[in-house]
Amino acid sequence: MSKPEYARMKFYCDEDLCIDCNGCVVACKEAHEVPVGVNRRKVVTINEGIVGKEISISMACMHCSDAPCQQVCPVDCFYIRVDGIVLHDKDKCIGCGYCLFACPFGAPQFPQDGAFGTKGKMDKCTMCAGGPEETNSPAEFDKYGQNRIAEGKVPMCASMCSTKALLVGDSTEVAAIKTYRSVAHGKGISTQSYGW
Amino acid sequence: MQSSTFYTRNKAYLLTLLGLGVVGFVFIGFMMIMDWEYFLKYPLHVILTGDTSGVLVEPTSNYQAMVNAAFGPSYNSIAPEIIRASNERQEFIWWVFVAEIAIFCFMYAKYGRKVAIVTNPNDEVEVFSLFHRAVIWLNIVVIVALIITGFNITWGMRSGGGDIAFFLRGSHEMLGLVWLPLWFAMTVIAFKDAKILFNNSITKKLILKGGYTPMKRVIFIVFVVMGAGLIFSGITIWYIHPDAFTHSEFIQLKRYLLYVHFGASVLIMFFLMDFVYSVMVAVKGNLKGLITGKYPREHLEQLAPDVLRDIEEKR
């Protein structure tokens, strides 16, 4: 019997198309009611203001296949779904911040809501796939935000991207789109895929 | 008459350096995943330029510049070691302490416990003032609490996380802040060698009585240096709360400091256990002395003549 093939869900941001509008950041915060001081997604720009050299990418958790956050978490609160989405259990999280030290992308976020301003429980992009609570329950929304994946919808950030710089989906499909765009523009693939 | 060679005079220092050297060589050479050149250059770069981003070499491409701006540079220099160390602290660090306790058991079986013969228990001498006792006991309480709450993080797999473990983790950060003045006060009162340099009324009143044996001096130096490392790294990590944007400007500094925190905590624990054994287990009568502040004169004559000499001189 052949092994079932699951999708391997990935984000990809095309820096040639990202215009630093921060629409993805706002859409994410709005959809999941992310509190002030926590940004699950952020846009990073270099060479700002230099014509022709300014480039931006939208970044969040890259849902790594061998996620360092999962390897380093002392209470083992991370789990990786069969489709590759990296999620975590806030009921287990102790807010130690080890995942932040291990993450190559600065994805884990910490609200400053503990006693005397200490870190609260870690928050990060779920690729709009919720968490371990019952799917689409108020408890799940309260802790992790919307579960759009369970509804068959695209994550909010990518669905709102006005230039379609931010892609999400099965890595094979995303890679095919990236290759198609590069070939169609006649530029070739200019850079590596950040975080793949 | 006992021979006084360089080795016998400096045995404690030499054996400590040898032990740390062997353990350090094995860890650095064979067990750690660390770019040591980066590890040494990075703090120099921070001190000389004030730039904590960790970018030691200017990027040569847009891709490199983007990686530096977005994620911070040189991920492979420190981060993999943090992951390795975190995992191994869960699995193996327990055995370090088991080995140390086994050594203590061997020493206890071989050398036994020193007990003073006291015929006149009413003839007591005050060794620790109320201030001394307050500083020592507060240090003991806070250090024990820091160890419990710290291992709550390190051995999180045992608790499985949850609200209690979350509360203890937050307490670890706050207790670290509380320990800063206590560590400083302990460093001052336990600086017995200061009496060699400044033998005046203030040092006589403030600093603990007696002098150091070589091993106790080593423990004091480790307490001061590793305590400073723990407090500086801990408070800096706590103070630089991760903001909502990229952490690339200081993530490398935090990784560096967390590594320093790991290393300093293991070393200070090792030597503190040595201190607890040599003070509480190897010699009888110190617990009562630390509570009341007073010791029978005969106890001091037999086991701590240097302390008695200091007290007599003060009079």
mmCIF file with all atom_site columns, all heavy atoms in Angstrom, chain B residues 212-227:
data_model
loop_
_atom_site.group_PDB
_atom_site.id
_atom_site.type_symbol
_atom_site.label_atom_id
_atom_site.label_alt_id
_atom_site.label_comp_id
_atom_site.label_asym_id
_atom_site.label_entity_id
_atom_site.label_seq_id
_atom_site.pdbx_PDB_ins_code
_atom_site.Cartn_x
_atom_site.Cartn_y
_atom_site.Cartn_z
_atom_site.occupancy
_atom_site.B_iso_or_equiv
_atom_site.pdbx_formal_charge
_atom_site.auth_seq_id
_atom_site.auth_comp_id
_atom_site.auth_asym_id
_atom_site.auth_atom_id
_atom_site.pdbx_PDB_model_num
ATOM 1   N N   . TYR B 1 212 ? 40.197 32.765 54.857 1.00 0.00 ? 212 TYR B N   1
ATOM 2   C CA  . TYR B 1 212 ? 39.777 31.715 53.926 1.00 0.00 ? 212 TYR B CA  1
ATOM 3   C C   . TYR B 1 212 ? 40.800 30.595 53.841 1.00 0.00 ? 212 TYR B C   1
ATOM 4   O O   . TYR B 1 212 ? 42.002 30.857 53.805 1.00 0.00 ? 212 TYR B O   1
ATOM 5   C CB  . TYR B 1 212 ? 39.593 32.296 52.520 1.00 0.00 ? 212 TYR B CB  1
ATOM 6   C CG  . TYR B 1 212 ? 38.223 32.881 52.283 1.00 0.00 ? 212 TYR B CG  1
ATOM 7   C CD1 . TYR B 1 212 ? 38.081 34.130 51.704 1.00 0.00 ? 212 TYR B CD1 1
ATOM 8   C CD2 . TYR B 1 212 ? 37.081 32.175 52.623 1.00 0.00 ? 212 TYR B CD2 1
ATOM 9   C CE1 . TYR B 1 212 ? 36.827 34.672 51.485 1.00 0.00 ? 212 TYR B CE1 1
ATOM 10  C CE2 . TYR B 1 212 ? 35.826 32.706 52.401 1.00 0.00 ? 212 TYR B CE2 1
ATOM 11  C CZ  . TYR B 1 212 ? 35.702 33.953 51.831 1.00 0.00 ? 212 TYR B CZ  1
ATOM 12  O OH  . TYR B 1 212 ? 34.467 34.468 51.621 1.00 0.00 ? 212 TYR B OH  1
ATOM 13  N N   . THR B 1 213 ? 40.297 29.372 53.782 1.00 0.00 ? 213 THR B N   1
ATOM 14  C CA  . THR B 1 213 ? 41.148 28.274 53.325 1.00 0.00 ? 213 THR B CA  1
ATOM 15  C C   . THR B 1 213 ? 41.153 28.384 51.801 1.00 0.00 ? 213 THR B C   1
ATOM 16  O O   . THR B 1 213 ? 40.239 28.998 51.221 1.00 0.00 ? 213 THR B O   1
ATOM 17  C CB  . THR B 1 213 ? 40.550 26.915 53.734 1.00 0.00 ? 213 THR B CB  1
ATOM 18  O OG1 . THR B 1 213 ? 39.235 26.819 53.177 1.00 0.00 ? 213 THR B OG1 1
ATOM 19  C CG2 . THR B 1 213 ? 40.477 26.779 55.247 1.00 0.00 ? 213 THR B CG2 1
ATOM 20  N N   . PRO B 1 214 ? 42.130 27.797 51.116 1.00 0.00 ? 214 PRO B N   1
ATOM 21  C CA  . PRO B 1 214 ? 42.163 27.926 49.649 1.00 0.00 ? 214 PRO B CA  1
ATOM 22  C C   . PRO B 1 214 ? 40.855 27.502 48.967 1.00 0.00 ? 214 PRO B C   1
ATOM 23  O O   . PRO B 1 214 ? 40.369 28.185 48.070 1.00 0.00 ? 214 PRO B O   1
ATOM 24  C CB  . PRO B 1 214 ? 43.327 27.032 49.242 1.00 0.00 ? 214 PRO B CB  1
ATOM 25  C CG  . PRO B 1 214 ? 44.246 27.078 50.420 1.00 0.00 ? 214 PRO B CG  1
ATOM 26  C CD  . PRO B 1 214 ? 43.350 27.140 51.621 1.00 0.00 ? 214 PRO B CD  1
ATOM 27  N N   . MET B 1 215 ? 40.260 26.381 49.413 1.00 0.00 ? 215 MET B N   1
ATOM 28  C CA  . MET B 1 215 ? 39.048 25.902 48.738 1.00 0.00 ? 215 MET B CA  1
ATOM 29  C C   . MET B 1 215 ? 37.873 26.848 48.962 1.00 0.00 ? 215 MET B C   1
ATOM 30  O O   . MET B 1 215 ? 37.076 27.100 48.060 1.00 0.00 ? 215 MET B O   1
ATOM 31  C CB  . MET B 1 215 ? 38.700 24.490 49.230 1.00 0.00 ? 215 MET B CB  1
ATOM 32  C CG  . MET B 1 215 ? 37.725 23.756 48.314 1.00 0.00 ? 215 MET B CG  1
ATOM 33  S SD  . MET B 1 215 ? 38.332 23.636 46.619 1.00 0.00 ? 215 MET B SD  1
ATOM 34  C CE  . MET B 1 215 ? 36.880 24.054 45.693 1.00 0.00 ? 215 MET B CE  1
ATOM 35  N N   . LYS B 1 216 ? 37.788 27.396 50.190 1.00 0.00 ? 216 LYS B N   1
ATOM 36  C CA  . LYS B 1 216 ? 36.695 28.336 50.479 1.00 0.00 ? 216 LYS B CA  1
ATOM 37  C C   . LYS B 1 216 ? 36.888 29.619 49.661 1.00 0.00 ? 216 LYS B C   1
ATOM 38  O O   . LYS B 1 216 ? 35.923 30.257 49.253 1.00 0.00 ? 216 LYS B O   1
ATOM 39  C CB  . LYS B 1 216 ? 36.660 28.667 51.978 1.00 0.00 ? 216 LYS B CB  1
ATOM 40  C CG  . LYS B 1 216 ? 36.265 27.482 52.858 1.00 0.00 ? 216 LYS B CG  1
ATOM 41  C CD  . LYS B 1 216 ? 34.772 27.393 52.991 1.00 0.00 ? 216 LYS B CD  1
ATOM 42  C CE  . LYS B 1 216 ? 34.295 26.091 53.618 1.00 0.00 ? 216 LYS B CE  1
ATOM 43  N NZ  . LYS B 1 216 ? 34.963 25.652 54.811 1.00 0.00 ? 216 LYS B NZ  1
ATOM 44  N N   . ARG B 1 217 ? 38.162 29.988 49.443 1.00 0.00 ? 217 ARG B N   1
ATOM 45  C CA  . ARG B 1 217 ? 38.429 31.173 48.616 1.00 0.00 ? 217 ARG B CA  1
ATOM 46  C C   . ARG B 1 217 ? 37.967 30.935 47.173 1.00 0.00 ? 217 ARG B C   1
ATOM 47  O O   . ARG B 1 217 ? 37.381 31.818 46.549 1.00 0.00 ? 217 ARG B O   1
ATOM 48  C CB  . ARG B 1 217 ? 39.916 31.523 48.650 1.00 0.00 ? 217 ARG B CB  1
ATOM 49  C CG  . ARG B 1 217 ? 40.241 32.814 47.893 1.00 0.00 ? 217 ARG B CG  1
ATOM 50  C CD  . ARG B 1 217 ? 41.683 33.236 48.041 1.00 0.00 ? 217 ARG B CD  1
ATOM 51  N NE  . ARG B 1 217 ? 41.967 33.726 49.371 1.00 0.00 ? 217 ARG B NE  1
ATOM 52  C CZ  . ARG B 1 217 ? 42.781 33.118 50.238 1.00 0.00 ? 217 ARG B CZ  1
ATOM 53  N NH1 . ARG B 1 217 ? 43.385 32.002 49.906 1.00 0.00 ? 217 ARG B NH1 1
ATOM 54  N NH2 . ARG B 1 217 ? 42.996 33.629 51.442 1.00 0.00 ? 217 ARG B NH2 1
ATOM 55  N N   . VAL B 1 218 ? 38.229 29.719 46.678 1.00 0.00 ? 218 VAL B N   1
ATOM 56  C CA  . VAL B 1 218 ? 37.779 29.367 45.317 1.00 0.00 ? 218 VAL B CA  1
ATOM 57  C C   . VAL B 1 218 ? 36.257 29.472 45.240 1.00 0.00 ? 218 VAL B C   1
ATOM 58  O O   . VAL B 1 218 ? 35.708 30.049 44.289 1.00 0.00 ? 218 VAL B O   1
ATOM 59  C CB  . VAL B 1 218 ? 38.238 27.932 44.941 1.00 0.00 ? 218 VAL B CB  1
ATOM 60  C CG1 . VAL B 1 218 ? 37.519 27.444 43.685 1.00 0.00 ? 218 VAL B CG1 1
ATOM 61  C CG2 . VAL B 1 218 ? 39.743 27.904 44.740 1.00 0.00 ? 218 VAL B CG2 1
ATOM 62  N N   . ILE B 1 219 ? 35.579 28.938 46.260 1.00 0.00 ? 219 ILE B N   1
ATOM 63  C CA  . ILE B 1 219 ? 34.108 28.977 46.262 1.00 0.00 ? 219 ILE B CA  1
ATOM 64  C C   . ILE B 1 219 ? 33.624 30.431 46.292 1.00 0.00 ? 219 ILE B C   1
ATOM 65  O O   . ILE B 1 219 ? 32.679 30.799 45.585 1.00 0.00 ? 219 ILE B O   1
ATOM 66  C CB  . ILE B 1 219 ? 33.541 28.178 47.459 1.00 0.00 ? 219 ILE B CB  1
ATOM 67  C CG1 . ILE B 1 219 ? 33.844 26.689 47.265 1.00 0.00 ? 219 ILE B CG1 1
ATOM 68  C CG2 . ILE B 1 219 ? 32.037 28.386 47.593 1.00 0.00 ? 219 ILE B CG2 1
ATOM 69  C CD1 . ILE B 1 219 ? 33.561 25.827 48.480 1.00 0.00 ? 219 ILE B CD1 1
ATOM 70  N N   . PHE B 1 220 ? 34.291 31.266 47.098 1.00 0.00 ? 220 PHE B N   1
ATOM 71  C CA  . PHE B 1 220 ? 33.903 32.682 47.168 1.00 0.00 ? 220 PHE B CA  1
ATOM 72  C C   . PHE B 1 220 ? 34.071 33.353 45.793 1.00 0.00 ? 220 PHE B C   1
ATOM 73  O O   . PHE B 1 220 ? 33.186 34.081 45.335 1.00 0.00 ? 220 PHE B O   1
ATOM 74  C CB  . PHE B 1 220 ? 34.758 33.410 48.220 1.00 0.00 ? 220 PHE B CB  1
ATOM 75  C CG  . PHE B 1 220 ? 34.573 34.899 48.211 1.00 0.00 ? 220 PHE B CG  1
ATOM 76  C CD1 . PHE B 1 220 ? 33.392 35.467 48.645 1.00 0.00 ? 220 PHE B CD1 1
ATOM 77  C CD2 . PHE B 1 220 ? 35.583 35.744 47.740 1.00 0.00 ? 220 PHE B CD2 1
ATOM 78  C CE1 . PHE B 1 220 ? 33.210 36.849 48.620 1.00 0.00 ? 220 PHE B CE1 1
ATOM 79  C CE2 . PHE B 1 220 ? 35.401 37.118 47.714 1.00 0.00 ? 220 PHE B CE2 1
ATOM 80  C CZ  . PHE B 1 220 ? 34.215 37.673 48.149 1.00 0.00 ? 220 PHE B CZ  1
ATOM 81  N N   . ILE B 1 221 ? 35.215 33.085 45.151 1.00 0.00 ? 221 ILE B N   1
ATOM 82  C CA  . ILE B 1 221 ? 35.460 33.707 43.831 1.00 0.00 ? 221 ILE B CA  1
ATOM 83  C C   . ILE B 1 221 ? 34.410 33.242 42.826 1.00 0.00 ? 221 ILE B C   1
ATOM 84  O O   . ILE B 1 221 ? 33.863 34.051 42.060 1.00 0.00 ? 221 ILE B O   1
ATOM 85  C CB  . ILE B 1 221 ? 36.892 33.379 43.329 1.00 0.00 ? 221 ILE B CB  1
ATOM 86  C CG1 . ILE B 1 221 ? 37.924 34.070 44.229 1.00 0.00 ? 221 ILE B CG1 1
ATOM 87  C CG2 . ILE B 1 221 ? 37.088 33.807 41.876 1.00 0.00 ? 221 ILE B CG2 1
ATOM 88  C CD1 . ILE B 1 221 ? 39.347 33.591 44.028 1.00 0.00 ? 221 ILE B CD1 1
ATOM 89  N N   . VAL B 1 222 ? 34.086 31.940 42.850 1.00 0.00 ? 222 VAL B N   1
ATOM 90  C CA  . VAL B 1 222 ? 33.065 31.422 41.924 1.00 0.00 ? 222 VAL B CA  1
ATOM 91  C C   . VAL B 1 222 ? 31.713 32.074 42.230 1.00 0.00 ? 222 VAL B C   1
ATOM 92  O O   . VAL B 1 222 ? 30.984 32.467 41.317 1.00 0.00 ? 222 VAL B O   1
ATOM 93  C CB  . VAL B 1 222 ? 32.962 29.874 42.012 1.00 0.00 ? 222 VAL B CB  1
ATOM 94  C CG1 . VAL B 1 222 ? 31.739 29.369 41.253 1.00 0.00 ? 222 VAL B CG1 1
ATOM 95  C CG2 . VAL B 1 222 ? 34.224 29.232 41.466 1.00 0.00 ? 222 VAL B CG2 1
ATOM 96  N N   . PHE B 1 223 ? 31.387 32.212 43.517 1.00 0.00 ? 223 PHE B N   1
ATOM 97  C CA  . PHE B 1 223 ? 30.115 32.838 43.907 1.00 0.00 ? 223 PHE B CA  1
ATOM 98  C C   . PHE B 1 223 ? 30.034 34.267 43.355 1.00 0.00 ? 223 PHE B C   1
ATOM 99  O O   . PHE B 1 223 ? 29.009 34.666 42.788 1.00 0.00 ? 223 PHE B O   1
ATOM 100 C CB  . PHE B 1 223 ? 29.992 32.858 45.436 1.00 0.00 ? 223 PHE B CB  1
ATOM 101 C CG  . PHE B 1 223 ? 28.756 33.567 45.932 1.00 0.00 ? 223 PHE B CG  1
ATOM 102 C CD1 . PHE B 1 223 ? 27.532 32.925 45.975 1.00 0.00 ? 223 PHE B CD1 1
ATOM 103 C CD2 . PHE B 1 223 ? 28.819 34.896 46.353 1.00 0.00 ? 223 PHE B CD2 1
ATOM 104 C CE1 . PHE B 1 223 ? 26.399 33.579 46.422 1.00 0.00 ? 223 PHE B CE1 1
ATOM 105 C CE2 . PHE B 1 223 ? 27.686 35.556 46.796 1.00 0.00 ? 223 PHE B CE2 1
ATOM 106 C CZ  . PHE B 1 223 ? 26.473 34.903 46.833 1.00 0.00 ? 223 PHE B CZ  1
ATOM 107 N N   . VAL B 1 224 ? 31.122 35.005 43.499 1.00 0.00 ? 224 VAL B N   1
ATOM 108 C CA  . VAL B 1 224 ? 31.115 36.407 43.057 1.00 0.00 ? 224 VAL B CA  1
ATOM 109 C C   . VAL B 1 224 ? 31.047 36.490 41.532 1.00 0.00 ? 224 VAL B C   1
ATOM 110 O O   . VAL B 1 224 ? 30.194 37.188 40.965 1.00 0.00 ? 224 VAL B O   1
ATOM 111 C CB  . VAL B 1 224 ? 32.373 37.147 43.574 1.00 0.00 ? 224 VAL B CB  1
ATOM 112 C CG1 . VAL B 1 224 ? 32.450 38.554 42.996 1.00 0.00 ? 224 VAL B CG1 1
ATOM 113 C CG2 . VAL B 1 224 ? 32.347 37.218 45.090 1.00 0.00 ? 224 VAL B CG2 1
ATOM 114 N N   . VAL B 1 225 ? 31.935 35.747 40.865 1.00 0.00 ? 225 VAL B N   1
ATOM 115 C CA  . VAL B 1 225 ? 32.034 35.871 39.400 1.00 0.00 ? 225 VAL B CA  1
ATOM 116 C C   . VAL B 1 225 ? 30.796 35.285 38.719 1.00 0.00 ? 225 VAL B C   1
ATOM 117 O O   . VAL B 1 225 ? 30.183 35.929 37.850 1.00 0.00 ? 225 VAL B O   1
ATOM 118 C CB  . VAL B 1 225 ? 33.328 35.196 38.883 1.00 0.00 ? 225 VAL B CB  1
ATOM 119 C CG1 . VAL B 1 225 ? 33.372 35.218 37.363 1.00 0.00 ? 225 VAL B CG1 1
ATOM 120 C CG2 . VAL B 1 225 ? 34.550 35.880 39.466 1.00 0.00 ? 225 VAL B CG2 1
ATOM 121 N N   . MET B 1 226 ? 30.425 34.067 39.107 1.00 0.00 ? 226 MET B N   1
ATOM 122 C CA  . MET B 1 226 ? 29.278 33.429 38.451 1.00 0.00 ? 226 MET B CA  1
ATOM 123 C C   . MET B 1 226 ? 27.968 34.122 38.863 1.00 0.00 ? 226 MET B C   1
ATOM 124 O O   . MET B 1 226 ? 27.040 34.222 38.068 1.00 0.00 ? 226 MET B O   1
ATOM 125 C CB  . MET B 1 226 ? 29.212 31.937 38.804 1.00 0.00 ? 226 MET B CB  1
ATOM 126 C CG  . MET B 1 226 ? 30.398 31.161 38.256 1.00 0.00 ? 226 MET B CG  1
ATOM 127 S SD  . MET B 1 226 ? 30.572 31.375 36.486 1.00 0.00 ? 226 MET B SD  1
ATOM 128 C CE  . MET B 1 226 ? 32.331 31.243 36.288 1.00 0.00 ? 226 MET B CE  1
ATOM 129 N N   . GLY B 1 227 ? 27.910 34.601 40.113 1.00 0.00 ? 227 GLY B N   1
ATOM 130 C CA  . GLY B 1 227 ? 26.728 35.358 40.539 1.00 0.00 ? 227 GLY B CA  1
ATOM 131 C C   . GLY B 1 227 ? 26.567 36.618 39.703 1.00 0.00 ? 227 GLY B C   1
ATOM 132 O O   . GLY B 1 227 ? 25.465 36.944 39.255 1.00 0.00 ? 227 GLY B O   1
#
